[in-house]
Amino acid sequence: MGGAFNLGRVFGIQFRLDYTWFIIFMLITTSLSWQLFPGSYPGWPWLLYWVIGIVTSLLFFASVLAHELAHSLVGRINGIPIKSITLFIFGGIAHMTKEATRPGAEFKMAAAGPACSLAIGGLFALLYLFTHGRIEPIAAMAYWLAYINVALAIFNLIPGFPLDGGRVFRSILWRVSGNYKRSTRIATRVGQGVGYLFIMGGILIMFVLHDWLSGLWLAFIGWFLQNAASLSYRQVQWREGLHRFTVLEVMTADCPVVPPTATVNQLVQGYAFTTGHHCFLVAEEGRLMGILTLHNIKTVSQPDWSVTQVKEIMTPVDKLKVTYPDQDALSILEQMDESNINQMPVVSEGRVIGLIARDNLIRFLRIRSQSGG
Ligand SMILES: [Zn+2]
């Protein structure tokens, strides 16, 4: 994950902040403290404009976080595990989640975010009513936050995939038609259409109304939406593409057997770089103790390679789920998402014949989709 800042864990979900957020934060703070508050509420000391501007921006950021958290918690209750979330420029767009397997679960999860934003907007509206005419800086802050949270809810409810409204739309189509793929195709097409409408609207505003900044901003949002919709559709296609492959076709075979006491250094020098192997079976006297992939090796920093033994970083056998050569690859990817595991040994007639790693599965998908296969 390049370009993102780690925020830490909330309810066990890893939160990351895309670097674009820092730019947004500065833009919002500056426009509030420099323009909006001084324009609407003249006569405050200049320091107060900045303090209220910064606090307002931070509360806006917390509102977006709460929106995402609402998705995650409702998702989790409905059996959609979420590992991490990266907050992008529009907050609501990039949900790093596994796709829902039931329309009801998707509906609830998608609707939770806008519902949360509306609730927060309502709370700030109440705060505004209580402070209006009494504590002007707090009222100014509450007014803007009420407005922006309601705007966030409305923007996200636009029925174009992958916005929340697009997901709600897809879940309804899916419930009615029972066809996940077609529902996704329609919802992503609508998402692309909305994107193009925004772009055209932006161009009109630029050339007809000569409002260059607003026009450019609208066109930019449109371009972003259009891109996100196309990308989502391709991702769904990849996943569908996996249906056609069996475990046997996507697994890595010929995993060398290594002893549990080997160090990472020995492993890397002996196998990984010289023979290009990406998986290892850890066994002692013919008994399988665990498996190891490059994914495990990456968790150890290079200076520790010579003192770390394979058994310390391997995935032990009791944490493994096995898979069989004739299972279909998509169900394996879903099982990995659900159980939060990165690799599964492939067993045939009681013998480990290969390994499926999540990284490999995703790389396989990418190559397939690029070659049009
Ligand atoms: Zn959302």
Side-chain angles (χ1 to χ4, degrees), residues 46 64 67 73 77-78 98 104 106 131 182 187 191-192 209 219 237 256 290 316 318 327 336:
W46 72 268
V64 174
H67 173 116
L73 294 180
I77 291 166
N78 286 283
K98 153 193 191 295
E106 165 150 74
T131 52
R182 216 181 67 197
Q192 286 175 311
L209 302 177
Q237 271 184 319
D318 54 321
Q327 278 183 283
M336 284 179 168

Side-chain angles (χ1 to χ4, degrees), residues 67-68 71 91-93 95 109-110 112-114 117 156 163-164:
H67 173 116
E68 296 305 319
H71 284 307
I93 285 187
H95 303 150
M109 183 180 172
S117 293
N156 273 294
L163 290 175
D164 298 335

Side-chain angles (χ1 to χ4, degrees), residues 194-209 211 214-216 218-219:
V194 170
Y196 286 125
L197 277 180
F198 271 58
I199 295 173
M200 285 192 302
I203 292 171
L204 275 180
I205 289 175
M206 274 191 274
F207 290 99
V208 178
L209 302 177
D211 185 348
S214 307
L216 206 63
L218 198 67

Side-chain angles (χ1 to χ4, degrees), residues 239-307:
R239 295 176 68 85
E240 290 295 318
L242 262 192
H243 258 317
R244 292 182 281 132
F245 295 96
T246 62
V247 163
L248 191 65
E249 290 169 289
V250 296
M251 73 177 194
T252 314
D254 310 322
C255 302
V257 178
V258 296
T261 51
T263 64
V264 176
N265 228 353
Q266 289 169 331
L267 203 70
V268 169
Q269 284 169 355
Y271 300 94
F273 290 150
T274 50
T275 59
H277 282 298
H278 292 294
C279 65
F280 302 94
L281 303 173
V282 185
E284 196 169 42
E285 290 163 0
R287 195 167 54 88
L288 183 70
M289 296 179 67
I291 55 172
L292 193 79
T293 63
L294 289 184
H295 185 82
N296 299 109
I297 296 176
K298 279 182 204 154
T299 61
V300 184
S301 62
Q302 200 155 356
D304 297 331
W305 280 7
S306 56
V307 292

Side-chain angles (χ1 to χ4, degrees), residues 65-356:
L65 205 67
H67 173 116
E68 296 305 319
L69 208 54
H71 284 307
S72 316
L73 294 180
V74 171
R76 184 185 289 177
I77 291 166
N78 286 283
I80 309 165
I82 285 101
K83 274 166 64 182
S84 73
I85 288 170
T86 304
L87 295 177
F88 283 86
I89 207 163
F90 303 116
I93 285 187
H95 303 150
M96 301 304 175
T97 65
K98 153 193 191 295
E99 297 296 321
T101 46
R102 282 166 295 133
E106 165 150 74
F107 180 90
K108 286 181 212 152
M109 183 180 172
C116 176
S117 293
L118 279 180
I120 294 173
L123 286 178
F124 279 118
L126 277 180
L127 181 64
Y128 169 76
L129 288 180
F130 279 113
T131 52
H132 177 58
R134 288 175 216 162
I135 318 165
E136 194 177 60
I138 302 292
M141 180 184 82
Y143 185 85
W144 189 80
L145 285 167
Y147 158 78
I148 202 75
N149 272 291
V150 172
L152 193 70
I154 292 173
F155 175 72
N156 273 294
L157 281 174
I158 293 173
F161 202 81
L163 290 175
D164 298 335
R167 289 180 180 274
V168 168
F169 180 48
R170 176 176 73 176
S171 71
I172 295 170
L173 290 176
W174 184 11
R175 161 69 52 85
V176 171
S177 72
N179 187 331
Y180 175 76
K181 200 178 174 184
R182 216 181 67 197
S183 307
T184 305
R185 192 164 57 223
I186 295 170
T188 46
R189 284 283 177 264
V190 173
Q192 286 175 311
V194 170
Y196 286 125
L197 277 180
F198 271 58
I199 295 173
M200 285 192 302
I203 292 171
L204 275 180
I205 289 175
M206 274 191 274
F207 290 99
V208 178
L209 302 177
H210 300 288
D211 185 348
W212 294 90
L213 196 63
S214 307
L216 206 63
W217 188 230
L218 198 67
F220 173 70
I221 294 174
W223 170 80
F224 192 86
L225 277 181
Q226 197 281 121
N227 254 325
S230 314
L231 188 71
S232 304
Y233 186 59
R234 277 204 298 279
Q235 277 171 351
V236 172
Q237 271 184 319
W238 287 356
R239 295 176 68 85
E240 290 295 318
L242 262 192
H243 258 317
R244 292 182 281 132
F245 295 96
T246 62
V247 163
L248 191 65
E249 290 169 289
V250 296
M251 73 177 194
T252 314
D254 310 322
C255 302
V257 178
V258 296
T261 51
T263 64
V264 176
N265 228 353
Q266 289 169 331
L267 203 70
V268 169
Q269 284 169 355
Y271 300 94
F273 290 150
T274 50
T275 59
H277 282 298
H278 292 294
C279 65
F280 302 94
L281 303 173
V282 185
E284 196 169 42
E285 290 163 0
R287 195 167 54 88
L288 183 70
M289 296 179 67
I291 55 172
L292 193 79
T293 63
L294 289 184
H295 185 82
N296 299 109
I297 296 176
K298 279 182 204 154
T299 61
V300 184
S301 62
Q302 200 155 356
D304 297 331
W305 280 7
S306 56
V307 292
T308 308
Q309 290 187 344
V310 159
K311 64 182 175 195
E312 298 168 50
I313 55 165
M314 70 180 186
T315 310
V317 107
D318 54 321
K319 285 207 179 140
L320 286 174
K321 288 191 174 179
V322 298
T323 154
Y324 303 95
D326 52 351
Q327 278 183 283
D328 91 271
L330 179 62
S331 70
I332 300 303
L333 185 63
E334 280 169 354
Q335 217 173 320
M336 284 179 168
D337 284 340
E338 259 159 46
S339 325
N340 204 4
I341 47 180
N342 288 306
Q343 56 266 310
M344 294 170 90
V346 184
V347 174
S348 173
E349 291 166 357
R351 215 164 45 84
V352 178
I353 58 163
L355 188 79
I356 284 204

